Amino acid sequence: MKRLHRLLRPMSRAVTYTRWLHLFMGAVAAVVVVGVVFPGLEDPSALLLFVPLPLLALAAFIPGTRVAETMQARLLLYPGPHEPHEHPAPEIAGSPSASWGDRWRVFVWLTVRLWLGFGVTVVTLNGVVLTLGLLMPSLWPPFGPAPMLLPGRWGWWYPLLAPVSGAALVAVVWGAGALMADLAPRLLGPSPAERLAELEERTERLLERTRLARELHDTIGHALTIAVVQAGAARAAGTPDFTDRALAAIEDTGREALSELDRVLRLLREDADPTVQRPTLAHAGRLVESARGSGADVTTWIGGDLNALPGPVSREGYRMLQECLTNVLRHAGSVPVTVRIEILEDRLELEVCNKQPAESGGSRGGGSGLRGLRERAVLLGGAAAYGPYDGVWRVHVTLPLQ
């Protein structure tokens, strides 16, 4: 029963008949073309296969033809929502032809559709006539000779053979439609160049999302760390003056974090320049003052004009300094910190050193923030190292200026 159901299933599937319609439309177009070029021709069968080819070539050279053929293929060659158990339609390009190779594949597709559609149409017409003749042998003689030359005493076989004829017709239609559905991804699918361009675009989107996620991590993480440390220091100090300074620092940090959050969300909503209003090392003073407001004793040494740094180096350098100071406050607390920013002939050097508290154990290298800092440096062609050094915890970053 399962085998019989599998054999009869194509007859009950709507996609079998939509594929037949897809092929029939190609054959009808050829008949119209030949009828216009050779009106009154009695047997145009041979011409139907070749006369429309120049027009098909002309249509294939139009970039939008691939879009039209793709829409028809998606609509008629693949199961729709009425057959959710079937596999979805394969990847078919929905963009106009961009190269001569794409146009050539569209021409081959149109030619196969013409020839296969013409063959299926001929088989359909003859199969319908044969099936009707077998079902009504007594009514058939007025229309011509009997559909099968059987002796008169075997004439009762005709109606029994009609289902075989109908099944063969459906099998031909189903096979031709399945062949067109299999050829569609090959002839209408994206070319290797289009696949590569789509992959590059997808990679760019993923990289941009990763960068925005890192921006949020840096901004919100820094703001929350500063707020927590400053609130704890104010409660421990218990003096009104220090409490007022801590609250003012928390307010400034929160306002800056909200501004950064608004900028990142605007980038997600709009197609804006991702570098607009991003802080640079020229704004490093804000980070230093914020860390000082949290109780850290920060000493800075700057060598060179920070405003002259290239944009990517300056922006990433700011985020690296932010990550370093945030880690100091989070893991070491209010300890002396030394920040050195030096612009050399071909590189920028950023170094942050802080005294390690006794309970730290001398190891903070497992955090994702420091690994992200190293990744930032590598992406810019530089390097980053961190770990204990001469009794302090040191982060040293080198970024090329070119």
Side-chain angles (χ1 to χ4, degrees):
M1 290 299 294
K2 290 184 178 179
R3 292 184 178 181
L4 180 61
H5 175 72
R6 188 178 302 174
L7 291 175
L8 297 179
R9 186 182 175 191
M11 301 181 65
S12 61
R13 296 180 64 200
V15 71
T16 300
Y17 304 99
T18 58
R19 289 173 177 176
W20 174 85
L21 178 61
H22 183 265
L23 293 167
F24 180 72
M25 289 166 58
V28 168
V31 172
V32 172
V33 170
V34 173
V36 172
V37 177
F38 300 98
L41 194 64
E42 293 184 359
D43 187 14
S45 300
L47 296 177
L48 283 171
L49 300 178
F50 300 101
V51 170
L53 294 184
L55 292 178
L56 294 183
L58 181 62
F61 291 153
I62 301 174
T65 301
R66 186 167 74 161
V67 178
E69 290 297 318
T70 297
M71 292 177 61
Q72 291 189 54
R74 287 175 175 170
L75 182 64
L76 300 177
L77 294 183
Y78 302 103
H82 51 279
E83 292 182 288
H85 58 280
E86 294 291 341
H87 296 293
E91 182 181 9
I92 303 178
S95 59
S97 301
S99 64
W100 288 107
D102 296 338
R103 295 178 175 89
W104 171 251
R105 290 190 298 134
V106 172
F107 172 68
V108 174
W109 166 262
L110 293 175
T111 302
V112 172
R113 183 181 176 187
L114 165 67
W115 290 352
L116 197 59
F118 178 68
V120 168
T121 301
V122 172
V123 171
T124 299
L125 294 176
N126 286 277
V128 170
V129 170
L130 177 60
T131 302
L132 291 177
L134 291 172
L135 286 174
M136 301 178 294
S138 60
L139 301 178
W140 191 252
F143 298 96
M148 295 184 66
L149 298 179
L150 295 177
R153 59 192 182 93
W154 295 102
W156 60 274
W157 273 86
Y158 285 152
L160 298 180
L161 294 175
V164 177
S165 173
L169 173 60
V170 174
V172 171
V173 172
W174 175 83
L179 177 60
M180 291 298 293
D182 186 62
L183 289 176
R186 294 174 171 82
L187 299 178
L188 297 179
S191 63
E194 290 175 319
R195 293 181 185 274
L196 180 60
E198 182 182 358
L199 180 61
E200 291 177 349
E201 182 180 355
R202 187 181 308 169
T203 303
E204 288 292 332
R205 290 197 301 267
L206 290 176
L207 289 175
E208 182 63 16
R209 290 179 180 177
T210 302
R211 189 190 66 78
L212 292 176
R214 185 175 293 167
E215 289 275 334
L216 285 175
H217 166 268
D218 293 342
T219 303
I220 305 303
H222 175 75
L224 290 177
T225 299
I226 294 295
V228 170
V229 172
Q230 288 173 335
R235 184 174 61 179
T239 61
D241 291 341
F242 189 87
T243 300
D244 290 341
R245 290 198 304 270
L247 290 176
I250 292 174
E251 181 182 2
D252 293 339
T253 303
R255 187 179 294 110
E256 181 182 348
L258 288 175
S259 177
E260 283 290 301
L261 179 61
D262 181 68
R263 182 184 65 82
V264 174
L265 293 179
R266 189 165 61 251
L267 288 175
L268 291 174
R269 291 192 299 263
E270 303 171 2
D271 188 16
D273 185 358
T275 64
V276 173
Q277 298 180 352
R278 285 184 62 188
T280 64
L281 272 179
H283 305 97
R286 293 188 300 185
L287 297 175
V288 173
E289 291 301 322
S290 179
R292 286 172 178 167
S294 300
D297 181 13
V298 183
T299 302
T300 61
W301 187 89
I302 299 176
D305 184 9
L306 297 182
N307 291 309
L309 286 172
V313 174
S314 188
R315 288 189 293 269
E316 293 302 320
Y318 177 91
R319 291 305 185 195
M320 292 177 182
L321 177 59
Q322 185 181 54
E323 180 66 31
C324 291
L325 293 177
T326 301
N327 283 338
V328 170
L329 295 173
R330 180 182 297 149
H331 299 288
S334 301
V335 297
V337 183
T338 301
V339 175
R340 180 176 68 88
I341 305 174
E342 186 174 4
I343 303 175
L344 301 177
E345 182 178 354
D346 59 345
R347 68 187 185 277
L348 167 71
E349 288 193 359
L350 171 64
E351 185 178 78
V352 179
C353 300
N354 64 274
K355 181 181 177 181
Q356 292 181 271
E359 64 273 13
S360 67
S363 176
R364 290 185 298 162
S368 60
L370 290 176
R371 288 198 299 268
L373 185 145
R374 177 177 288 174
E375 292 172 1
R376 287 178 185 269
V378 171
L379 286 175
L380 290 176
Y386 48 83
Y389 180 81
D390 284 348
V392 298
W393 181 271
R394 185 184 75 154
V395 178
H396 185 267
V397 179
T398 302
L399 300 177
L401 299 181
Q402 299 297 329

